[in-house]
Amino acid sequence: ADLALYRAKYEGKAGYHFFETSLDEAARRRRQLEIDLREAIVNGGFELNFQPLYCVAERRLTGFEALLRWNHPDRGQTKPEEFIALAEETGLIVPIGEWVIREACHHASIWPDVLTVAVNVSPKQFAASGLSSAILQALSASGLAPHRLELEITERTFSADIDATLATLHRLRSIGVRIALDDFGTGYLSLSRLKCFPFDKLKIDRIFVEDLGNSVTGQAIIRAITTLADALGMETLAEGVEDIRQLEALAREGCGHVQGYLFSKPLSAEEVLSLLDAGEPSASRMFGK
Ligand code: C2E
Ligand code: MG
Ligand code: MG
């Protein structure tokens, strides 16, 4: 009855729902996934992949974005979309996120000093106390300079306690940590919010890059974003760049940085070290000329 009630509420107001066995199956799957997540936190079932980020003008590798993977005992390597939402609902994202920050700082401390690491931070981590101290601890344990750590937050971060969020962001930025706004353009962030917080970087969402090669409207949107970012003193990075025409359009419209399958898929920590061994010529080749 509770499951039926839950579903009826989920579907909106003034509705009803009968119990169905599928509801029970979904609840069981969820419960099992939660048990597996808790187990992975204790026994270390997670891994980070790193996707290279490039500066367009300098044709240079500038750093990597850390992307979480879960090596599930039955499902194999599992992507965040299958478990982040549950981790957020259950609060497990807090210990998982702390592990991600520690691990990302540790890996980056081995890379050359010019390279940065970007870490995705969930709104739930901002709502919980202790984010700043977890970051400070990770920095001091790894010896990573704060300016080499970039936090990627989404517009959702601003839907909760805005004052507390801004205070945390300002505190982190004052110690030198960089703050990027991820998936820019997909949420409800008002432009006035952009004025309130000096983001270091706007990450332009993949949906604006998809049809860029042959769309005049798409190019106009990119131009509008890069003009705005320039005026506010923020860098821009386009996500999900998959072909050379998109790259050319982005370069033309003033986008400073890129990331996507055209350059590289997310790599394991070992693959990152091989890429770094290959050196700068390989970065330049990525741009196709
Ligand atoms: P995101 O931060 O926007 O990360 C970019 C996503 O786009 C990654 O998916 C990446 O693999 C994918 N991608 C990169 N280049 C291309 C491309 O050229 N084409 C296409 N189609 N996709 C591309 P992934 O790794 O599955 O991560 C999905 C989302 O999960 C991330 O989106 C981020 O919001 C979240 N996430 C990942 N790791 C973490 C984490 O450690 N903590 C939290 N809270 N969220 C995370
Ligand atoms: Mg991201
Ligand atoms: Mg994104």
Side-chain angles (χ1 to χ4, degrees), residues 53 62 116-119 121 135 139 145-153 169 172-181 197-202 233-237 257:
L53 314 177
T62 61
T116 59
V117 68
V119 174
V121 180
I135 290 170
L139 288 171
H147 70 268
R148 293 181 61 199
L149 175 65
E150 187 165 86
L151 303 181
E152 295 193 4
I153 65 172
L169 287 175
L172 289 167
R173 208 160 176 275
S174 70
I175 61 163
V177 173
R178 288 165 52 89
I179 312 287
L181 185 58
F197 189 77
F199 292 100
D200 295 283
K201 185 188 275 177
L202 295 184
M234 299 173 189
E235 292 177 355
T236 45
L237 179 145
H257 298 80

Side-chain angles (χ1 to χ4, degrees), residues 185-204:
T186 57
Y188 297 99
L189 193 81
S190 69
L191 292 177
S192 65
R193 185 74 57 218
L194 276 187
K195 217 173 65 180
C196 291
F197 189 77
F199 292 100
D200 295 283
K201 185 188 275 177
L202 295 184
K203 294 193 76 174
I204 305 170

Side-chain angles (χ1 to χ4, degrees), residues 12 16 23 28 32 101 113 122 133 142 148 157 161 181 186 204 210 228 233-234 242 271 276:
Y16 65 91
L23 293 182
R28 275 174 208 272
Q32 186 58 49
I101 294 167
D113 284 349
S122 149
S133 59
S142 63
R148 293 181 61 199
T157 307
D161 186 343
L181 185 58
T186 57
I204 305 170
E210 259 163 19
L228 179 70
M234 299 173 189
E242 294 185 353
E271 288 171 322
L276 296 178

Side-chain angles (χ1 to χ4, degrees), residues 48 51 65-69 79-81 84 88 93 96-97 100 119-123 125 152 154 156 182-183 203 205-206 210 239-242 246 259-262 264-266:
L48 289 185
Q51 190 176 32
E65 175 176 5
L67 294 160
L68 183 60
R69 300 292 180 261
K79 288 197 158 192
E81 62 213 15
I84 289 280
E88 288 183 338
I93 193 66
I96 296 174
V100 171
V119 174
N120 292 284
V121 180
S122 149
Q125 291 173 263
E152 295 193 4
T154 63
R156 281 195 300 141
D182 204 356
D183 307 336
K203 294 193 76 174
D205 195 78
R206 193 165 73 224
E210 259 163 19
E239 305 184 277
V241 183
E242 294 185 353
Q246 293 168 342
Q259 159 184 21
Y261 298 161
L262 174 64
S264 170
K265 64 176 185 29

